[in-house]
Amino acid sequence: MRLKYAIKFVADMERAVAFHRDILKLPLAFQAPDWSEFDTGETRLALHIASEGYPAGSVQLAFASPDLD
């Protein structure tokens, strides 16, 4: 099992992408209006637009496993 994504919920995708790309210097892998990803090695940092139940600033982790059993 490994950590595949760290997902950060954001209020403003353009500003969040600019911060992570221009200030933190993370390499942008993909950008869309509701979902963007940064190549951070084995684990991707993903930005997702905040919504009800997923407020801006909250984080979710996604794991991958070749065998769930």
Side-chain angles (χ1 to χ4, degrees):
M1 178 161 323
R2 70 181 188 91
L3 180 61
K4 181 149 176 108
Y5 284 97
I7 305 164
K8 181 178 177 182
F9 294 92
V10 300
D12 183 323
M13 184 63 72
E14 291 293 326
R15 287 184 61 200
V17 167
F19 173 77
H20 289 82
R21 181 192 60 219
D22 302 338
I23 304 299
L24 298 181
K25 303 294 186 195
L26 295 176
L28 182 64
F30 173 82
Q31 183 176 357
D34 294 331
W35 180 272
S36 298
E37 294 182 13
F38 292 87
D39 186 0
T40 58
E42 294 238 354
T43 302
R44 289 270 177 135
L45 171 62
L47 304 180
H48 192 292
I49 286 293
S51 63
E52 188 174 334
Y54 301 97
S58 63
V59 174
Q60 199 172 62
L61 302 177
F63 294 89
S65 173
D67 182 7
L68 291 177
D69 290 333

Coordinates of all heavy atoms in Angstrom, one line a residue:
M1 N 0.8 -1.2 0.0 CA 0.0 0.0 0.0 C 0.9 1.2 0.0 O 1.9 1.3 0.6 CB -0.9 0.0 1.2 CG -1.7 1.2 1.2 SD -3.2 1.3 2.3 CE -3.9 -0.3 2.2
R2 N 0.5 2.2 -0.7 CA 1.2 3.5 -0.8 C 0.3 4.7 -0.9 O -0.8 4.6 -1.3 CB 2.2 3.5 -1.9 CG 1.6 3.6 -3.3 CD 2.7 3.6 -4.4 NE 2.2 3.9 -5.7 CZ 2.1 5.1 -6.2 NH1 2.5 6.2 -5.5 NH2 1.5 5.3 -7.4
L3 N 0.8 5.8 -0.4 CA 0.0 7.1 -0.5 C 0.1 7.5 -2.0 O 1.2 7.8 -2.5 CB 0.6 8.1 0.4 CG -0.1 9.5 0.4 CD1 -1.5 9.4 0.8 CD2 0.7 10.4 1.4
K4 N -1.0 7.6 -2.7 CA -1.0 8.0 -4.1 C -1.3 9.5 -4.2 O -0.7 10.1 -5.1 CB -2.1 7.2 -4.8 CG -2.2 7.5 -6.3 CD -2.6 6.3 -7.1 CE -2.7 6.7 -8.5 NZ -1.7 6.2 -9.4
Y5 N -2.3 10.1 -3.5 CA -2.6 11.5 -3.6 C -2.8 12.1 -2.2 O -3.3 11.5 -1.3 CB -4.0 11.6 -4.3 CG -4.0 11.5 -5.8 CD1 -4.3 10.3 -6.3 CD2 -3.6 12.5 -6.6 CE1 -4.3 10.1 -7.7 CE2 -3.6 12.3 -8.0 CZ -4.0 11.1 -8.5 OH -4.0 10.9 -9.9
A6 N -2.4 13.3 -2.1 CA -2.8 14.2 -1.0 C -3.6 15.3 -1.7 O -3.2 16.0 -2.7 CB -1.6 14.9 -0.4
I7 N -4.9 15.3 -1.4 CA -5.9 16.2 -2.0 C -6.2 17.4 -1.1 O -6.6 17.2 0.0 CB -7.1 15.4 -2.4 CG1 -6.8 14.2 -3.2 CG2 -8.1 16.3 -3.1 CD1 -7.9 13.2 -3.3
K8 N -5.9 18.6 -1.6 CA -6.2 19.8 -0.8 C -7.4 20.5 -1.5 O -7.4 20.7 -2.7 CB -4.9 20.7 -0.9 CG -5.1 22.0 -0.1 CD -3.7 22.7 -0.2 CE -3.8 24.0 0.5 NZ -2.6 24.8 0.4
F9 N -8.4 20.8 -0.7 CA -9.5 21.5 -1.2 C -9.3 23.0 -1.1 O -8.9 23.5 -0.1 CB -10.8 21.1 -0.4 CG -11.1 19.6 -0.6 CD1 -10.6 18.7 0.2 CD2 -11.8 19.2 -1.7 CE1 -10.8 17.3 0.0 CE2 -12.1 17.9 -2.0 CZ -11.6 16.9 -1.1
V10 N -9.6 23.7 -2.2 CA -9.3 25.1 -2.4 C -10.5 25.9 -2.8 O -11.4 25.4 -3.5 CB -8.1 25.4 -3.4 CG1 -6.9 24.7 -2.9 CG2 -8.5 24.9 -4.8
A11 N -10.6 27.2 -2.4 CA -11.7 28.1 -2.8 C -11.5 28.7 -4.2 O -12.5 28.9 -4.9 CB -11.8 29.2 -1.8
D12 N -10.3 28.9 -4.6 CA -9.9 29.6 -5.8 C -8.8 28.8 -6.5 O -7.7 28.9 -6.1 CB -9.5 31.0 -5.5 CG -9.2 31.8 -6.8 OD1 -8.7 31.3 -7.8 OD2 -9.6 33.0 -6.8
M13 N -9.2 28.0 -7.6 CA -8.2 27.2 -8.2 C -7.1 28.0 -8.9 O -5.9 27.6 -8.7 CB -8.9 26.3 -9.3 CG -8.0 25.3 -10.0 SD -7.3 24.1 -8.9 CE -8.7 23.1 -8.6
E14 N -7.4 29.1 -9.5 CA -6.3 29.9 -10.2 C -5.3 30.4 -9.2 O -4.1 30.3 -9.4 CB -6.9 31.0 -11.0 CG -7.7 30.7 -12.2 CD -6.9 30.1 -13.3 OE1 -5.7 30.5 -13.5 OE2 -7.4 29.2 -14.0
R15 N -5.8 30.9 -8.1 CA -4.8 31.4 -7.1 C -4.1 30.3 -6.4 O -2.9 30.4 -6.1 CB -5.6 32.2 -6.0 CG -6.1 33.6 -6.5 CD -6.7 34.4 -5.4 NE -5.7 34.6 -4.3 CZ -6.1 35.0 -3.1 NH1 -7.3 35.1 -2.8 NH2 -5.1 35.2 -2.2
A16 N -4.7 29.2 -6.2 CA -4.1 28.0 -5.5 C -3.0 27.4 -6.5 O -1.9 27.1 -6.0 CB -5.1 26.9 -5.2
V17 N -3.3 27.3 -7.7 CA -2.3 26.8 -8.7 C -1.1 27.8 -8.8 O 0.0 27.3 -8.7 CB -2.9 26.6 -10.1 CG1 -1.9 26.4 -11.1 CG2 -3.9 25.4 -10.1
A18 N -1.4 29.0 -8.9 CA -0.3 30.0 -9.0 C 0.6 30.0 -7.7 O 1.8 30.0 -7.8 CB -0.9 31.4 -9.1
F19 N 0.0 29.8 -6.5 CA 0.8 29.7 -5.3 C 1.7 28.5 -5.3 O 2.9 28.6 -5.1 CB -0.1 29.7 -4.1 CG 0.6 29.4 -2.8 CD1 1.4 30.5 -2.2 CD2 0.6 28.2 -2.2 CE1 2.1 30.2 -1.0 CE2 1.3 27.9 -1.0 CZ 2.1 29.0 -0.4
H20 N 1.1 27.3 -5.6 CA 1.9 26.1 -5.6 C 3.0 26.1 -6.7 O 4.1 25.5 -6.5 CB 1.0 24.9 -5.6 CG 0.2 24.7 -4.4 ND1 -1.0 25.4 -4.1 CD2 0.4 23.9 -3.3 CE1 -1.4 25.0 -2.9 NE2 -0.6 24.1 -2.4
R21 N 2.6 26.6 -7.8 CA 3.5 26.6 -9.0 C 4.6 27.7 -8.9 O 5.8 27.4 -9.0 CB 2.7 26.8 -10.3 CG 3.5 26.8 -11.5 CD 2.7 27.2 -12.7 NE 2.3 28.6 -12.5 CZ 1.1 29.1 -12.8 NH1 0.2 28.3 -13.5 NH2 0.8 30.3 -12.6
D22 N 4.2 28.9 -8.6 CA 5.1 30.1 -8.7 C 5.8 30.3 -7.4 O 7.0 30.7 -7.4 CB 4.3 31.3 -9.1 CG 3.6 31.1 -10.4 OD1 4.0 30.3 -11.2 OD2 2.6 31.9 -10.7
I23 N 5.2 30.1 -6.2 CA 5.8 30.4 -4.9 C 6.6 29.1 -4.4 O 7.7 29.2 -4.0 CB 4.8 30.9 -3.9 CG1 4.1 32.1 -4.4 CG2 5.5 31.1 -2.6 CD1 5.0 33.3 -4.7
L24 N 5.9 28.0 -4.4 CA 6.5 26.8 -3.9 C 7.3 26.1 -4.9 O 8.0 25.1 -4.6 CB 5.4 25.8 -3.3 CG 4.6 26.3 -2.2 CD1 3.6 25.3 -1.7 CD2 5.5 26.8 -1.0
K25 N 7.2 26.5 -6.2 CA 8.0 25.9 -7.3 C 7.7 24.4 -7.6 O 8.6 23.7 -8.0 CB 9.5 26.2 -7.1 CG 9.8 27.6 -6.9 CD 9.6 28.4 -8.2 CE 10.1 29.8 -8.0 NZ 9.6 30.7 -9.0
L26 N 6.5 24.0 -7.3 CA 6.1 22.6 -7.6 C 5.8 22.5 -9.1 O 5.1 23.3 -9.7 CB 4.9 22.2 -6.8 CG 5.1 22.1 -5.3 CD1 3.8 21.8 -4.6 CD2 6.2 21.1 -4.9
P27 N 6.2 21.4 -9.7 CA 6.0 21.2 -11.2 C 4.5 20.8 -11.4 O 4.0 19.8 -10.9 CB 6.9 20.1 -11.6 CG 7.3 19.4 -10.4 CD 7.1 20.4 -9.2
L28 N 3.8 21.7 -12.2 CA 2.4 21.4 -12.5 C 2.3 20.3 -13.5 O 2.9 20.4 -14.6 CB 1.8 22.7 -13.1 CG 0.3 22.7 -13.4 CD1 -0.5 22.4 -12.2 CD2 -0.1 24.0 -14.1
A29 N 1.5 19.3 -13.2 CA 1.4 18.2 -14.1 C 0.1 18.3 -15.0 O 0.0 17.9 -16.1 CB 1.3 16.9 -13.3
F30 N -1.0 18.9 -14.4 CA -2.3 19.0 -15.0 C -3.1 20.1 -14.4 O -3.0 20.2 -13.2 CB -2.9 17.6 -14.9 CG -4.3 17.6 -15.4 CD1 -4.6 17.4 -16.7 CD2 -5.4 17.7 -14.5 CE1 -5.9 17.4 -17.2 CE2 -6.7 17.7 -15.0 CZ -7.0 17.5 -16.3
Q31 N -3.8 20.8 -15.2 CA -4.7 21.8 -14.6 C -6.0 21.8 -15.3 O -6.1 21.8 -16.5 CB -4.1 23.2 -14.7 CG -4.9 24.3 -14.1 CD -4.2 25.7 -14.1 OE1 -3.1 25.8 -14.6 NE2 -4.9 26.7 -13.7
A32 N -7.1 21.9 -14.5 CA -8.5 22.0 -15.0 C -9.2 22.9 -14.0 O -8.7 23.2 -12.9 CB -9.1 20.6 -15.1
P33 N -10.4 23.3 -14.4 CA -11.2 24.2 -13.5 C -11.5 23.6 -12.1 O -11.5 24.4 -11.1 CB -12.5 24.5 -14.2 CG -12.1 24.3 -15.7 CD -11.1 23.2 -15.7
D34 N -11.7 22.3 -12.0 CA -12.1 21.7 -10.7 C -11.0 20.8 -10.1 O -11.1 20.4 -9.0 CB -13.3 20.9 -10.9 CG -14.5 21.8 -11.2 OD1 -14.6 23.0 -10.8 OD2 -15.5 21.3 -11.8
W35 N -9.9 20.5 -10.9 CA -8.9 19.6 -10.4 C -7.6 19.9 -11.0 O -7.5 20.0 -12.3 CB -9.4 18.1 -10.8 CG -8.4 17.1 -10.3 CD1 -7.3 16.6 -11.0 CD2 -8.5 16.3 -9.1 NE1 -6.7 15.6 -10.3 CE2 -7.4 15.4 -9.1 CE3 -9.3 16.3 -8.0 CZ2 -7.2 14.5 -8.1 CZ3 -9.1 15.4 -7.0 CH2 -8.0 14.5 -7.1
S36 N -6.6 20.0 -10.2 CA -5.2 20.2 -10.8 C -4.2 19.3 -10.0 O -4.5 18.9 -8.8 CB -4.8 21.7 -10.6 OG -5.6 22.5 -11.3
E37 N -3.1 18.9 -10.6 CA -2.2 18.0 -10.0 C -0.8 18.6 -10.2 O -0.4 19.1 -11.2 CB -2.2 16.6 -10.6 CG -3.5 15.9 -10.4 CD -3.5 14.5 -11.0 OE1 -2.4 14.0 -11.4 OE2 -4.6 13.9 -11.0
F38 N 0.0 18.3 -9.1 CA 1.5 18.7 -9.1 C 2.3 17.4 -9.0 O 1.9 16.5 -8.2 CB 1.8 19.6 -8.0 CG 1.2 21.0 -8.2 CD1 -0.1 21.2 -7.7 CD2 1.9 22.0 -8.8 CE1 -0.6 22.5 -7.9 CE2 1.3 23.2 -9.1 CZ 0.1 23.5 -8.6
D39 N 3.3 17.3 -9.8 CA 4.2 16.1 -9.7 C 5.2 16.3 -8.6 O 6.1 17.1 -8.7 CB 4.9 16.0 -11.1 CG 5.7 14.7 -11.2 OD1 5.7 13.9 -10.2 OD2 6.4 14.5 -12.2
T40 N 4.9 15.5 -7.5 CA 5.8 15.6 -6.3 C 6.5 14.3 -6.0 O 6.8 14.0 -4.9 CB 5.0 16.1 -5.1 OG1 3.9 15.1 -4.9 CG2 4.4 17.5 -5.3
G41 N 6.7 13.5 -7.1 CA 7.4 12.2 -6.9 C 6.3 11.1 -6.8 O 5.4 11.1 -7.6
E42 N 6.5 10.2 -5.9 CA 5.6 9.0 -5.8 C 4.2 9.4 -5.4 O 3.2 8.8 -5.8 CB 6.1 8.1 -4.7 CG 7.4 7.4 -5.1 CD 7.3 5.9 -5.1 OE1 6.3 5.4 -4.7 OE2 8.3 5.3 -5.5
T43 N 4.0 10.5 -4.7 CA 2.7 11.0 -4.3 C 2.4 12.3 -5.0 O 3.2 13.2 -5.0 CB 2.6 11.2 -2.8 OG1 3.0 10.0 -2.1 CG2 1.3 11.7 -2.3
R44 N 1.2 12.4 -5.6 CA 0.8 13.6 -6.3 C 0.1 14.5 -5.3 O -0.7 14.0 -4.4 CB -0.2 13.3 -7.4 CG 0.4 12.6 -8.6 CD 0.9 13.6 -9.6 NE 1.5 13.0 -10.7 CZ 1.3 13.4 -12.0 NH1 0.4 14.3 -12.3 NH2 2.0 12.8 -12.9
L45 N 0.3 15.8 -5.4 CA -0.5 16.8 -4.7 C -1.6 17.2 -5.7 O -1.3 17.7 -6.8 CB 0.4 18.0 -4.3 CG -0.4 19.2 -3.8 CD1 -1.2 18.8 -2.5 CD2 0.5 20.4 -3.5
A46 N -2.8 17.0 -5.3 CA -4.0 17.4 -6.1 C -4.7 18.5 -5.4 O -4.8 18.5 -4.2 CB -4.9 16.2 -6.3
L47 N -5.2 19.5 -6.2 CA -6.0 20.5 -5.7 C -7.4 20.3 -6.3 O -7.6 20.0 -7.5 CB -5.5 21.9 -6.2 CG -4.1 22.3 -5.9 CD1 -3.8 23.6 -6.4 CD2 -3.8 22.2 -4.4
H48 N -8.4 20.4 -5.4 CA -9.8 20.2 -5.8 C -10.6 21.4 -5.3 O -10.4 21.9 -4.2 CB -10.3 18.9 -5.2 CG -11.6 18.4 -5.7 ND1 -12.8 19.1 -5.5 CD2 -11.9 17.3 -6.5 CE1 -13.8 18.4 -6.1 NE2 -13.3 17.3 -6.7
I49 N -11.6 21.8 -6.1 CA -12.4 22.9 -5.7 C -13.2 22.5 -4.4 O -13.8 21.4 -4.4 CB -13.4 23.4 -6.8 CG1 -12.6 24.1 -7.9 CG2 -14.6 24.2 -6.3 CD1 -12.1 25.5 -7.4
A50 N -13.3 23.4 -3.4 CA -14.0 23.1 -2.2 C -15.5 23.1 -2.5 O -16.0 23.7 -3.5 CB -13.7 24.2 -1.2
S51 N -16.2 22.3 -1.7 CA -17.7 22.2 -1.8 C -18.2 21.8 -0.4 O -17.5 21.7 0.5 CB -18.0 21.1 -2.8 OG -17.5 19.8 -2.4
E52 N -19.6 21.7 -0.4 CA -20.2 21.3 0.9 C -19.7 20.0 1.4 O -19.6 19.0 0.6 CB -21.7 21.3 0.7 CG -22.4 21.1 2.0 CD -23.9 21.1 1.9 OE1 -24.4 21.8 0.9 OE2 -24.6 20.5 2.7
G53 N -19.2 19.9 2.6 CA -18.6 18.7 3.1 C -17.1 18.7 2.9 O -16.4 17.8 3.5
Y54 N -16.6 19.5 2.0 CA -15.1 19.5 1.7 C -14.7 21.0 1.7 O -14.5 21.6 0.6 CB -14.8 18.9 0.4 CG -15.3 17.4 0.3 CD1 -16.5 17.1 -0.3 CD2 -14.5 16.4 0.8 CE1 -16.9 15.7 -0.3 CE2 -14.9 15.1 0.8 CZ -16.1 14.8 0.2 OH -16.5 13.4 0.2
P55 N -14.6 21.6 2.9 CA -14.3 23.0 2.9 C -12.9 23.3 2.5 O -12.0 22.5 2.6 CB -14.5 23.4 4.4 CG -14.3 22.1 5.1 CD -14.8 21.0 4.2
A56 N -12.7 24.6 2.0 CA -11.3 25.0 1.6 C -10.4 24.9 2.8 O -10.7 25.2 3.9 CB -11.4 26.5 1.2
G57 N -9.2 24.4 2.5 CA -8.2 24.2 3.5 C -8.2 22.8 4.1 O -7.2 22.4 4.7
S58 N -9.2 22.0 3.8 CA -9.2 20.6 4.3 C -8.4 19.7 3.3 O -8.2 20.1 2.2 CB -10.6 20.1 4.5 OG -11.3 20.0 3.3
V59 N -8.0 18.6 3.8 CA -7.1 17.7 3.1 C -7.7 16.3 3.2 O -8.2 15.9 4.2 CB -5.7 17.7 3.6 CG1 -4.8 16.7 2.9 CG2 -5.1 19.1 3.4
Q60 N -7.5 15.5 2.1 CA -7.9 14.1 2.1 C -6.8 13.3 1.5 O -6.1 13.8 0.6 CB -9.2 14.0 1.2 CG -10.0 12.8 1.4 CD -11.3 12.8 0.6 OE1 -11.2 12.9 -0.7 NE2 -12.4 12.8 1.2
L61 N -6.6 12.1 2.0 CA -5.5 11.3 1.5 C -6.1 10.1 0.7 O -7.2 9.6 1.1 CB -4.7 10.7 2.7 CG -4.1 11.7 3.6 CD1 -3.3 11.1 4.7 CD2 -3.1 12.6 2.8
A62 N -5.4 9.7 -0.4 CA -5.9 8.6 -1.2 C -4.7 7.6 -1.3 O -3.6 7.9 -1.6 CB -6.3 9.1 -2.6
F63 N -5.0 6.3 -0.9 CA -4.1 5.3 -1.0 C -4.3 4.3 -2.1 O -5.4 4.2 -2.6 CB -4.1 4.5 0.4 CG -3.7 5.3 1.6 CD1 -4.6 6.0 2.3 CD2 -2.4 5.3 1.9 CE1 -4.2 6.8 3.4 CE2 -2.0 6.0 3.1 CZ -2.9 6.8 3.8
A64 N -3.3 3.7 -2.6 CA -3.3 2.7 -3.7 C -2.8 1.4 -3.1 O -1.8 1.4 -2.4 CB -2.6 3.1 -4.9
S65 N -3.4 0.3 -3.5 CA -2.9 -1.0 -3.1 C -3.1 -2.0 -4.2 O -4.2 -2.0 -4.8 CB -3.7 -1.5 -1.9 OG -3.3 -2.8 -1.5
P66 N -2.1 -2.8 -4.5 CA -2.3 -3.8 -5.6 C -3.2 -5.0 -5.1 O -3.8 -5.7 -6.0 CB -0.9 -4.4 -5.8 CG -0.2 -4.1 -4.5 CD -0.8 -2.9 -3.9
D67 N -3.5 -5.1 -3.8 CA -4.3 -6.2 -3.3 C -5.0 -5.7 -2.1 O -4.4 -5.6 -1.0 CB -3.4 -7.4 -3.0 CG -4.2 -8.6 -2.5 OD1 -5.5 -8.5 -2.6 OD2 -3.6 -9.6 -2.1
L68 N -6.3 -5.4 -2.2 CA -7.1 -5.0 -1.0 C -7.3 -6.0 0.0 O -7.6 -5.7 1.2 CB -8.4 -4.3 -1.4 CG -8.3 -3.0 -2.2 CD1 -9.6 -2.5 -2.7 CD2 -7.6 -2.0 -1.4
D69 N -7.3 -7.3 -0.4 CA -7.4 -8.4 0.6 C -6.3 -8.4 1.5 O -6.3 -8.8 2.6 CB -7.6 -9.7 -0.1 CG -9.0 -9.8 -0.8 OD1 -9.9 -9.1 -0.4 OD2 -9.0 -10.5 -1.8

